[in-house]
Amino acid sequence: MGILQNLLFTICIALRCVTSAVGVIHVTGYVGREVNVSCSYDEGYESYEKYLCKNDCGDSDVLVTTSESRKNKYRINDDKTARIFTTTISDLHSEDAGKYWCGVTRTGKDIYTEVELKLAQDSCCDTVTKIESYEGFSESIVCPYESRYQNNPKYICRGNRPSTCLQQALITSDNKQNGRFRLDDDKLLGTFTVNISSLTKNDSGSYLCGVKRNSELDVFSAVELKVKEWCCVKSTKVTGTAGHPLTLQCPYPSQNQNNRKFLCKGDHRNSCRDMAMIESRLTLRDDIYSNSFSVTITKIQADDAGTYWCGSDSQWRVGNHVKIQLSVDAGQYVVYAVPAVLLLLICALVVTVYQCKHQKVKDGKAVMNRNAENEEGLEEVTAGAENNIYGNEEVVRYKQQSACNNYDDAGEDEPDYENFTTSEEVYCNENFHRR
């Protein structure tokens, strides 16, 4: 009896597969990821048990049921409103590929729907399109697809994992504008284009262009975008002197001879100001024969220092500009200040010397006056002395005469000893001999 039941089950399964071959559910997943197997059922079976099984769907082949919604790496959910139950298989391995059955338990024969699971590696692709662009620019990524996918949804994502690309899409054909990203689908050419504006270095990396398919893996093409720092044809450093004029030389490509030339100031070209429009001290002269133009700034000032851009292309394409780093030297003020200090020192020294000499002359005159006064006083003293001398001479003579007379009288009596000066004695002797 058991053999007969198994035979009938096998025949039933075989017949159902044959009769519903066009209704086989094809599911594709990625190794290491998870996949959803969704199966529909007819009205009236909402309360019936559903399950997913493999092989002959014996008791040991049943992987998960709605009465036990989670088992190992399988989990099941029944949406009774939509009449669809979905089984999720996680952590896929290559041995998980193959045939499965969606079953609905009922009295008698269960209802089965065949499921074919294919697995692929979660990576893409053998061919990669490489694109290079620059900071601040806009770049377009062109993604080709086959004509049979004209009406299929398109999208683009970052990275190189097809399994999560749609969930992490930057933009889709259902929403053609998203911030800096815009998607345009040209069904006649069989390409959709994603434009990225205001590029930064952070936009560098891998991208996947995806075309969604219902029963198979989505179709992808890989792009590698490299965003480089925007650079110019020439970068130079120039030093100007405050208060003096300065001329900047700006070469440009020959194809830009008829373009408007300009000089702007700013650390970044996206935020620089056109100096010719706001600064009257600038004079611009274009020399088409040498494919260069010059900009002269009269009377450089300290605040003129900074970054300048010489341009000949309003689109700021690479290779059409010159970056100039201008510094202003204020050394001339020191040059002028030093002689001024020296001049002051010299003047102070001259005044000091003059004052010293003047003081010396003044002191000399005072000495001469004092000497003259001393000479006059000396003459008076000398004259007085001479008068005194003559007066003294008479006195001396009188004393001498008196002394001598006294001496003569003393000869008759006892000598009368008195104190006489030597000079008096001399004069007395002289008188004595004269006698």
Side-chain angles (χ1 to χ4, degrees), residues 201-426:
K201 283 189 175 182
N202 292 332
D203 292 320
S204 297
S206 299
Y207 291 79
L208 288 179
C209 299
V211 178
K212 183 175 176 55
R213 297 192 295 183
N214 295 326
S215 58
E216 298 179 78
L217 289 178
D218 294 350
V219 181
F220 293 99
S221 58
V223 175
E224 186 71 24
L225 175 61
K226 183 178 181 180
V227 180
K228 300 189 294 184
E229 181 181 1
W230 190 89
C231 188
C232 43
V233 66
K234 181 181 178 182
S235 183
T236 183
K237 294 182 179 180
V238 177
T239 301
T241 303
H244 290 258
L246 177 68
T247 299
L248 305 175
Q249 296 294 334
C250 305
Y252 57 81
S254 57
Q255 65 267 23
N256 291 351
Q257 283 187 355
N258 297 325
N259 291 8
R260 175 183 172 272
K261 316 304 186 302
F262 60 88
L263 176 75
C264 69
K265 181 181 180 182
D267 293 334
H268 196 276
R269 62 180 184 83
N270 288 337
S271 59
C272 69
R273 299 173 300 158
D274 192 339
M275 299 301 293
M277 303 294 292
I278 62 175
E279 184 56 70
S280 60
R281 292 181 296 128
L282 268 65
T283 303
L284 191 150
R285 292 183 177 85
D286 188 7
D287 184 358
I288 60 175
Y289 299 103
S290 62
N291 289 328
S292 68
F293 67 94
S294 62
V295 179
T296 301
I297 308 174
T298 60
K299 293 184 179 181
I300 288 288
Q301 301 172 359
D303 57 1
D304 289 327
T307 303
Y308 291 81
W309 304 83
C310 290
S312 59
D313 180 10
S314 59
Q315 299 299 316
W316 289 93
R317 283 182 280 264
V318 176
N320 295 332
H321 300 81
V322 177
K323 181 180 179 181
I324 300 174
Q325 192 66 42
L326 174 62
S327 58
V328 178
D329 185 6
Q332 61 164 347
Y333 297 112
V334 177
V335 173
Y336 289 130
V338 171
V341 172
L342 290 177
L343 183 59
L344 290 174
L345 291 175
I346 292 172
C347 290
L349 182 60
V350 169
V351 170
T352 303
V353 172
Y354 172 79
Q355 289 177 345
C356 290
K357 288 186 176 181
H358 180 71
Q359 186 64 36
K360 286 182 178 180
V361 171
K362 186 176 180 181
D363 293 343
K365 289 182 177 180
V367 170
M368 291 177 65
N369 292 334
R370 285 197 299 272
N371 290 339
E373 292 176 357
N374 291 338
E375 288 178 358
E376 292 177 358
L378 182 59
E379 290 176 358
E380 292 177 358
V381 171
T382 304
E386 289 178 353
N387 294 332
N388 291 335
I389 289 173
Y390 291 114
N392 291 335
E393 185 179 357
E394 294 176 355
V395 172
V396 170
R397 286 179 181 177
Y398 172 78
K399 284 186 178 182
Q400 287 177 351
Q401 187 64 36
S402 301
C404 290
N405 292 335
N406 292 331
Y407 183 77
D408 290 340
D409 293 337
E412 297 176 357
D413 299 320
E414 288 294 326
D416 193 6
Y417 296 97
E418 295 179 3
N419 292 329
F420 297 100
T421 62
T422 305
S423 57
E424 290 175 343
E425 291 178 354
V426 172

Side-chain angles (χ1 to χ4, degrees), residues 106 126-127 166 303 372 390:
R106 65 176 182 175
D126 295 335
T127 302
L166 181 58
D303 57 1
Y390 291 114

Side-chain angles (χ1 to χ4, degrees), residues 67 73 353:
S67 58
K73 64 177 183 178
V353 172

Side-chain angles (χ1 to χ4, degrees), residues 16 39-51 66 78-85 103-112:
R16 185 161 187 83
C39 303
S40 60
Y41 53 85
D42 294 335
E43 185 177 0
Y45 292 99
E46 289 84 353
S47 60
Y48 285 62
E49 184 184 54
K50 289 86 179 178
Y51 59 90
T66 53
D78 184 11
D79 185 349
K80 295 178 181 180
T81 303
R83 297 196 301 276
I84 296 175
F85 68 95
V104 178
T105 303
R106 65 176 182 175
T107 304
K109 306 179 189 68
D110 292 351
I111 300 173
Y112 293 96

Side-chain angles (χ1 to χ4, degrees), residues 5 37 41 59 73 152 165 171 174 244 248 266 329 339 345:
Q5 286 180 343
V37 179
Y41 53 85
D59 291 340
K73 64 177 183 178
N152 291 44
C165 189
I171 191 171
D174 295 332
H244 290 258
L248 305 175
D329 185 6
L345 291 175

